[in-house]
Amino acid sequence: DAKVAAGYVFHVGKLASGSVAAGDSCMVKVDYERRHKIANNHTATHMLNLALRNNVSDDVQQKGSLVDDEKLRFDFNNNKPVNAKTLGKIEKEIQDDIAKSLGVYYKDVSLKEAKEIYGLRAVFGEVYPDPVRVVSIGKSVEDLMSDPKAKENYNLSIEFCGGTHLDNTKEAESFAILNEEGIAKGVRRILAATGKLASEAIARAATFKARVAKLDGVKEAAALEAQLGELKREVDSVTMPTVAKSEIKDLLAKHSKRVVDMGKKAAAANKKKAVDEAVQFVKAKAAEGKNACVLKIDVGADTKALTEAVDASLKAEPSFSMIVFSSDDGKKKKVLAYAGVSKDAIAKGLDAPKWVRESLAICGGKGGGKPDRAQGQGSKIENLAQAMAKAEELAATLG
Ligand SMILES: [Zn+2]
């Protein structure tokens, strides 16, 4: 660390070995590689400060910042989260500033004159030295001072700052916003990276996006659900630009909806197939001279499908009687039954509620309804075959 006090620069360090005494001479060496990374992030902080003013609000002010060789953290006042679209614009603006290879300039200027610069950023409450160091991006401090009130100055990053900076924005290589969050009432925090870390995050997002794009070609519900689940579990653990992550999450949500739609379509198709099969079955039995049947169809706990199967079949064969079963072995085990009885059969003593009740009793179930239509539900799926045998027995009493 280095500190300035009483006109001296103090370098603070730890003694690794040997000893030092007052009056010893020493050599100070800068770790340029680390310093460059810090300068990258610091210059990016200035660009971010401007981009926030350009894209969020003229009232955005710096509330704190932390710059190291890995990341930059910037706190600012804003009473709501910065949405993904705006974060995307900010990120793009800084990437563009890097691509434009803008010069980064600094110079000590008298405090009074420097304060005249239009659009200048200074941290409120901070005491600045006189002369003060002005750091400007895209326009030299001399040019600024020649016309401090110029309107265009508002579009430039001009700050009072004593920190380490790049000479040119292109040295930052890349920029990525990695997170945006609230840290206190009315204060937001952006975490971002430059250089290799930013490029790597951007590359990871591209790879992930390519994997998500492959989902478009998956037309089968179970396969889509499996691949989607894997990507959903992974997405939060991957460090990538927050804007890209939000886009990816939107895409994943779209595919989740596709899975639901596929499920609905499959259920509708399954229901139609079950109803059609019941109608065909009843027609065939009627053609054989039968007047009643017991049938199981595969519609799970879909009561409406059972009703439809019976109504459609008996519409085709009005003098026929039938009882249809279906079972659902999901979390809650269910056996459903629905019976439809013709007028003739009622006259001969076949009662729909009784037919349902006595058959379903074997499955631990109950039922009720009117003489021509009744329904019921039980839970012992394992006894379904016996229940159907009982239903056959009751139907046989019709002769
Ligand atoms: Zn600074």
Side-chain angles (χ1 to χ4, degrees), residues 128-355:
Y128 290 100
D130 191 6
V132 65
R133 189 168 177 257
V134 175
V135 176
S136 157
I137 300 176
K139 191 175 180 183
S140 73
V141 180
E142 287 85 351
D143 285 351
L144 281 177
M145 296 320 295
S146 70
D147 186 8
K149 300 275 186 213
K151 271 233 164 70
E152 62 164 52
N153 290 350
Y154 196 81
N155 302 321
L156 300 172
S157 163
I158 308 160
E159 297 194 25
F160 287 167
C161 173
T164 305
H165 282 277
L166 301 173
D167 290 325
N168 191 294
T169 56
K170 74 174 176 217
E171 296 168 55
E173 290 171 57
S174 187
F175 176 82
I177 293 174
L178 302 178
N179 194 38
E180 192 274 348
E181 63 181 348
I183 53 160
K185 195 176 182 322
V187 182
R188 311 294 306 175
R189 170 172 289 173
I190 280 179
L191 182 78
T194 56
K196 196 165 162 249
L197 288 176
S199 319
E200 282 169 356
I202 291 166
R204 272 193 293 270
T207 307
F208 206 95
K209 258 188 191 166
R211 286 173 64 198
V212 175
K214 279 192 183 153
L215 294 180
D216 290 338
V218 184
K219 308 289 181 206
E220 206 261 312
L224 179 61
E225 204 173 358
Q227 291 177 34
L228 184 61
E230 197 179 309
L231 292 167
K232 273 183 172 173
R233 279 190 296 278
E234 245 178 82
V235 67
D236 277 320
S237 62
V238 181
T239 302
M240 60 171 109
T242 181
V243 176
K245 189 173 278 192
S246 137
E247 282 167 11
I248 285 170
K249 284 187 172 176
D250 286 350
L251 288 172
L252 293 178
K254 252 183 217 165
H255 286 291
S256 292
K257 197 181 165 291
R258 266 183 73 211
V259 170
V260 172
D261 289 346
M262 280 171 158
K264 278 185 189 161
K265 243 189 194 168
N270 189 38
K271 181 168 144 184
K272 190 179 176 300
K273 187 169 159 263
V275 170
D276 289 349
E277 275 172 11
V279 173
Q280 294 315 313
F281 186 80
V282 166
K283 276 185 178 170
K285 288 286 166 193
E288 283 170 23
K290 298 263 168 54
N291 57 11
C293 77
V294 176
L295 181 65
K296 179 178 184 285
I297 61 173
D298 186 19
V299 294
D302 190 346
T303 332
K304 228 176 134 231
L306 272 190
T307 315
E308 265 177 51
V310 170
D311 288 346
S313 300
L314 300 189
K315 198 180 165 199
E317 298 294 341
S319 58
F320 210 83
S321 299
M322 69 194 296
I323 181 164
V324 183
F325 292 87
S326 176
S327 64
D328 181 13
D329 61 356
K331 257 186 204 159
K332 219 175 159 201
K333 309 245 179 280
K334 268 184 194 171
V335 177
L336 307 178
Y338 191 81
V341 176
S342 71
K343 280 195 184 101
D344 287 353
I346 294 170
K348 283 183 186 171
L350 186 64
D351 177 60
K354 193 179 162 212
W355 203 7

